[in-house]
């Protein structure tokens, strides 16, 4: 049975400025007690967003739950509805709403990355849609703990976006940086977990005629991503520190048809199974697929109506 909040409860949480993380509930109890018939799907968590509606004007931002630059205004305009984040377990359907009196995201922003660190902390990248310097809020990474902590990302150019976050097996946080419209050049970057500063990893050179999205690392340490062509054709590649170019493995396909829409997420399960998440063009909802690394064949495992997924750890 899904865990739901009534509108009244939701409003009370927002007014009180309470952070409802429920992370231990989702990642430990719900997932551990109700294993999937397919072991590869255990510990999969999805994230999506939902508008917070409240008419209460007494909400006071909790400045002690973030580490935003002091020059950045944290007040929310009264005509903008802040956005709450919703975490959901794939195996149980249980969901938890993350509510904070300082909005985690706003309507003009997107969730551009979602991952779990090696210690189990969930992290999201929140990116403004606008490229206007006057209107844009800073790109930031938010650690979904208790309390929630946010760091502004430094080192990005005005037209760049940070996305495809990955918490590596050795405890780092890496990501992909490209233009806000998703086009090259694409850079693989390290993200400082204490300051939010990014630094380029120059070992891999991505092609300039394909988009690059999603990062996944399997338990054996092998790193994967996907290259997306002009028509949405998607190729699975491996990143090897000893190779300057990505190693092309296979073009992704389902039932003999070429995958034509890129991916929302790419993750590797604790069992070493590579999992793709997304939907073919003009199809809904998103679903989780197992991926054969050698052939590129994708097998649909389960629908999951969220924006991005990650594997819970810790």
């Amino acid at each position: 049975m899904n865990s739901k909040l009534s509108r009244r409860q939701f409003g009370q949480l927002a007014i009180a400025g309470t952070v409802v993380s429920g992370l231990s509930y989702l990642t430990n109890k719900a997932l551990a007690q109700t294993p999937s018939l397919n072991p590869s799907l255990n510990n999969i968590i999805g994230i999506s967003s939902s508008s917070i509606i409240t008419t209460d004007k007494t909400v006071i931002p909790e400045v002690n739950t973030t580490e935003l630059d002091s020059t950045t205004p944290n007040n929310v305009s009264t005509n903008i509805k802040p956005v709450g984040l919703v975490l959901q377990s794939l195996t149980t359907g249980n969901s938890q709403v993350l509510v904070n009196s300082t909005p985690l995201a706003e309507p003009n922003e997107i969730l551009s990355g979602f991952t779990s660190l090696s210690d189990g902390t969930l992290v999201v990248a929140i990116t403004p849609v606008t490229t206007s310097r006057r209107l844009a809020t800073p790109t930031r990474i938010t650690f979904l703990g208790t309390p929630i902590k946010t760091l502004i990302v430094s080192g990005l150019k005005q037209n760049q976006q940070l996305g495809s976050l990955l918490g590596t097996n050795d405890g780092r946080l890496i990501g992909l940086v490209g233009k806000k419209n998703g086009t090259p050049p694409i850079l693989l970057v390290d993200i400082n977990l204490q300051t939010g500063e990014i630094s380029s990893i120059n070992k891999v050179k991505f092609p300039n005629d394909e988009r690059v999205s999603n990062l996944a690392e399997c338990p054996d340490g092998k790193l994967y991503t996907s290259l997306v062509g002009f028509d949405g054709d998607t190729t699975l590649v491996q990143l090897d520190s000893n190779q300057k170019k990505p190693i092309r493995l296979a073009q992704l396909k389902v039932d003999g048809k070429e995958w034509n829409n890129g991916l929302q997420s790419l993750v590797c399960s604790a069992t070493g199974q590579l999992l793709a998440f997304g939907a073919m063009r003009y199809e809904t909802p998103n679903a989780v697929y197992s991926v054969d690394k050698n052939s590129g064949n994708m097998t649909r495992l389960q629908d999951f109506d969220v924006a991005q997924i990650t594997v819970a750890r810790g």
Side-chain angles (χ1 to χ4, degrees):
M1 181 181 297
N2 287 359
S3 174
K4 296 181 179 179
L5 295 175
S6 69
R7 178 172 296 183
R8 182 170 180 269
Q9 289 172 320
F10 195 93
Q12 288 174 338
L13 291 172
I15 291 172
T18 304
V19 178
V20 183
S21 61
L23 301 183
S24 61
Y25 173 71
L26 280 170
T27 60
N28 296 329
K29 294 184 180 179
L31 297 179
Q33 292 180 3
T34 313
S36 168
L37 294 177
N38 187 330
S40 296
L41 297 182
N42 289 340
N43 300 337
I44 297 293
I45 290 180
I47 192 169
S48 54
S49 58
S50 175
S51 295
I52 298 173
I53 302 175
T54 177
T55 57
D56 189 279
K57 296 183 180 180
T58 64
V59 176
I60 302 174
E62 292 182 72
V63 295
N64 63 331
T65 62
T66 62
E67 294 184 8
L68 297 179
D69 188 286
S70 60
T71 61
T72 303
N74 291 329
N75 295 329
V76 181
S77 172
T78 55
N79 61 354
I80 295 179
K81 296 176 183 178
V83 176
L85 304 183
V86 182
L87 296 175
Q88 184 173 342
S89 162
L90 173 64
T91 55
T92 67
N94 287 317
S95 61
Q96 287 290 323
V97 182
L98 302 177
V99 182
N100 192 27
S101 58
T102 302
L104 302 180
E106 296 186 13
N108 64 338
E109 298 176 326
I110 60 171
L111 303 178
S112 58
F114 180 47
T115 192
S116 60
L117 300 180
S118 58
D119 66 0
T121 302
L122 299 178
V123 185
V124 294
I126 300 172
T127 299
V129 176
T130 178
T131 58
S132 168
R133 187 181 299 274
R134 183 176 64 86
L135 297 176
T137 52
T139 297
R140 54 202 183 275
I141 51 173
T142 297
F143 301 83
L144 302 180
T146 305
I148 288 176
K149 183 181 78 170
T150 297
L151 296 175
I152 289 178
V153 175
S154 59
L156 290 175
K157 296 180 181 178
Q158 183 182 351
N159 66 341
Q160 287 183 324
Q161 172 176 302
L162 170 66
S164 303
L165 296 181
L166 173 65
T168 63
N169 296 339
D170 61 3
R172 294 179 300 142
L173 179 63
I174 65 176
L176 295 172
V177 169
K179 292 183 180 179
K180 288 191 175 179
N181 59 7
T183 59
I186 306 293
L187 298 175
L188 182 66
V189 299
D190 259 313
I191 306 162
N192 189 302
L193 291 169
Q194 304 302 319
T195 67
E197 183 178 5
I198 64 172
S199 57
S200 176
I201 302 174
N202 296 317
K203 296 178 181 179
V204 179
K205 302 294 183 183
F206 293 109
N208 286 325
D209 58 350
E210 294 173 292
R211 290 182 289 122
V212 186
S213 61
N214 308 299
L215 290 168
E217 185 181 29
C218 287
D220 61 6
K222 291 183 179 179
L223 194 65
Y224 299 90
T225 187
S226 59
L227 302 180
V228 184
F230 180 78
D231 294 323
D233 50 295
T234 307
T235 303
L236 178 68
V237 300
Q238 182 182 337
L239 303 180
D240 188 328
S241 59
N242 296 319
Q243 302 289 329
K244 292 185 178 180
K245 294 182 179 180
I247 303 170
R248 293 176 183 265
L249 300 179
Q251 184 150 349
L252 299 182
K253 49 189 176 291
V254 177
D255 298 328
K257 295 176 57 178
E258 291 185 357
W259 188 265
N260 62 6
N261 200 29
L263 299 172
Q264 295 298 106
S265 300
L266 185 68
V267 300
C268 199
S269 73
T271 62
Q273 175 63 58
L274 201 61
L275 301 171
F277 177 69
M280 292 278 273
R281 192 174 300 173
Y282 309 123
E283 293 184 7
T284 57
N286 290 325
V288 179
Y289 296 79
S290 63
V291 179
D292 185 302
K293 301 169 188 175
N294 297 315
S295 68
N297 289 327
M298 299 169 60
T299 302
R300 192 186 194 101
L301 300 179
Q302 187 169 326
D303 291 351
F304 199 21
D305 193 12
V306 293
Q308 295 188 41
I309 66 170
T310 191
V311 178
R313 297 189 286 184

